[in-house]
Amino acid sequence: MKVGGVSYRSIWVEDDGWSVGIIDQTTLPHDFHRTRLTTLDEAADAIRGMKVRGAPLIGATAAYGICLAAREDASDDAIDRACDTLMATRPTAVNLRWAVDAMRRALQNLPRDERAAAAYARAAAICDEDVAINRAIGEHGLVLIEQVAREREGTVNVLTHCNAGWLATVDHGTALAPIYLAHDRGIDVHVWVDETRPRNQGALTAWELGQHGVRHTLIPDNAGGHLMQHGMVDLCITGTDRTTRIGDVCNKIGTYLKALAAKDNGVPFYVALPGPTLDWTVRNGLTDIPIEERSGDEVSHVRGMGPDGMPAHVNIVPAGTAVANHAFDVTPARLVTGLITERGICAATEKGLGDLYPEHAET
Ligand code: MRU
């Protein structure tokens, strides 16, 4: 996607042929800052500290983290240590495990001196696959927006939560991919952007949409239900960090409440996901998906830009207040109207997913 007219992916190999470029998402939306990862530890820190974030980008960064490790030491032990280090960074997005497993498989039977080159080739393929997958999600999801546009005059209003745009993937995004396509094809689309406390990923979504010229309005997290009650939302589209084989969806905290409000108001609630976000080993999302708990500082303090244009970090609670910061929640499949995948749209059911991914249905 473009920033100031220049095309970017969210992760790339630098001109030196080995170090890894990323956009530091902790300085957005105020400062577009690119930075370089040169070691496994820097890659792990970037994931943990959310310089990179979003399930598919976490997976892609982990893949390059293994490349950086293999450059220094491609022994079995070193690769195992790298995989363990990366797996310990964030627990919820299953793309991390998917990418680490894919890298392990690509390297395991190779002679040591061929492993680093093979790692870079596999990581690049993971990135290219993600881009192609998201383009296909965009095409399938576009049909839903076109349908609303055909049914009535005026703007199509889509509500989204968190950031499931190109910053969260390698390019295009998942939930935002259909919106970008709709805009590019001349549909009058407007996005209600949930602020998404406590990390305010809605600001990233607003920034992305603004760069692409898509009309949008940032709203407090509590506003969605009110907008739906007043007919101001045609459909919801969110991303997911892990979807179970029966269609339960784990996404950024607050997604569940939006799905409840959508159900109560007859608003279709769709979730966009790439195949690597499916966890075929899990059925019950509520009991079997690990939910990340992050620092209470993210709740008690707000980061932003002060009136002097400098970064600000402001405490908003009384000293000593107990805070909890569960980063994700699970939306049960019964609240999900449909899943938008790279292979088409399906019901959030074991059969719906099994028909699209028959190679996994029997496992
Ligand atoms: O904590 P984050 O910002 O990594 O959470 C991201 C989300 O919840 C996204 O909706 C999800 O990863 C899908 S990204 C295509």
Side-chain angles (χ1 to χ4, degrees), residues 78-361:
I79 303 288
D80 283 348
R81 269 198 310 277
C83 292
D84 292 348
T85 301
L86 291 159
M87 282 299 296
T89 52
R90 294 192 73 189
T92 302
V94 77
N95 305 58
L96 175 60
R97 185 182 79 201
W98 176 87
V100 166
D101 287 350
M103 294 298 288
R104 226 194 263 274
R105 274 198 306 277
L107 306 189
Q108 65 194 0
N109 293 323
L110 291 179
R112 209 187 271 199
D113 62 346
E114 291 176 18
R115 285 181 176 172
Y120 276 96
R122 186 67 187 100
I126 285 174
C127 290
D128 291 346
E129 282 162 25
D130 184 62
V131 175
I133 282 174
N134 298 334
R135 206 176 284 130
I137 288 173
E139 293 287 352
H140 293 301
L142 172 65
V143 173
L144 301 171
I145 298 175
E146 284 175 334
Q147 206 172 311
V148 179
R150 258 197 316 273
E151 279 165 10
R152 59 158 185 73
E153 298 277 291
T155 304
V156 180
N157 286 293
V158 182
L159 182 143
T160 194
H161 191 70
C162 195
N163 171 263
W166 71 268
L167 286 169
T169 63
V170 177
D171 205 354
H172 302 299
T174 57
L176 296 194
I179 293 167
Y180 286 128
L181 270 189
H183 171 85
D184 292 349
R185 297 199 185 161
I187 295 176
D188 178 13
V189 62
H190 165 263
V191 186
W192 296 112
V193 178
D194 279 356
E195 181 185 30
T196 319
R197 280 277 291 147
R199 294 277 312 198
N200 294 318
Q201 285 93 334
L204 302 175
T205 299
W207 181 79
E208 271 195 29
L209 292 171
Q211 290 291 327
H212 200 83
V214 180
R215 259 187 337 117
H216 60 279
T217 306
L218 188 74
I219 51 173
D221 287 328
N222 301 329
H226 167 78
L227 297 176
M228 291 185 216
Q229 284 175 320
H230 289 272
M232 294 162 82
V233 181
D234 293 299
L235 70 157
C236 301
I237 312 179
T238 75
T240 165
D241 283 76
R242 194 184 295 224
T243 299
T244 73
R245 62 185 300 140
I246 65 164
D248 287 352
V249 168
C250 183
N251 191 49
K252 181 52 54 192
I253 192 82
T255 304
Y256 169 54
L257 292 177
K258 292 301 139 67
L260 281 175
K263 187 77 167 180
D264 193 44
N265 290 283
V267 173
F269 188 92
Y270 284 93
V271 176
L273 66 140
T277 305
L278 281 158
D279 187 346
W280 296 94
T281 70
V282 169
R283 300 182 72 80
N284 184 336
L286 267 181
T287 54
D288 292 345
I289 296 180
I291 300 292
E292 178 178 14
E293 290 185 45
R294 296 185 61 86
S295 162
D297 282 0
E298 294 180 350
V299 178
S300 59
H301 291 66
V302 174
R303 286 180 186 277
M305 190 172 75
D308 55 356
M310 297 300 287
H313 188 212
V314 180
N315 182 9
I316 55 169
V317 301
T321 304
V323 287
N325 189 7
H326 300 93
F328 297 94
D329 63 23
V330 172
T331 300
R334 66 187 151 76
L335 298 178
V336 178
T337 309
L339 300 171
I340 310 168
T341 78
E342 71 275 19
R343 297 190 185 177
I345 299 178
C346 71
T349 60
E350 186 158 19
K351 169 149 179 23
L353 283 167
D355 286 350
L356 284 188
Y357 298 90
E359 71 275 29
H360 293 288

Side-chain angles (χ1 to χ4, degrees), residues 34-78:
R34 285 162 288 165
T35 187
R36 217 176 260 252
L37 308 175
T38 60
T39 63
L40 164 70
D41 287 341
E42 287 175 5
D45 284 346
I47 297 171
R48 206 179 291 112
M50 293 178 69
K51 283 185 178 166
V52 291
R53 40 148 301 283
L57 181 57
I58 290 171
T61 308
Y64 276 118
I66 292 171
C67 298
L68 294 170
R71 258 189 99 241
E72 288 184 8
D73 181 351
S75 66
D76 287 349
D77 281 355

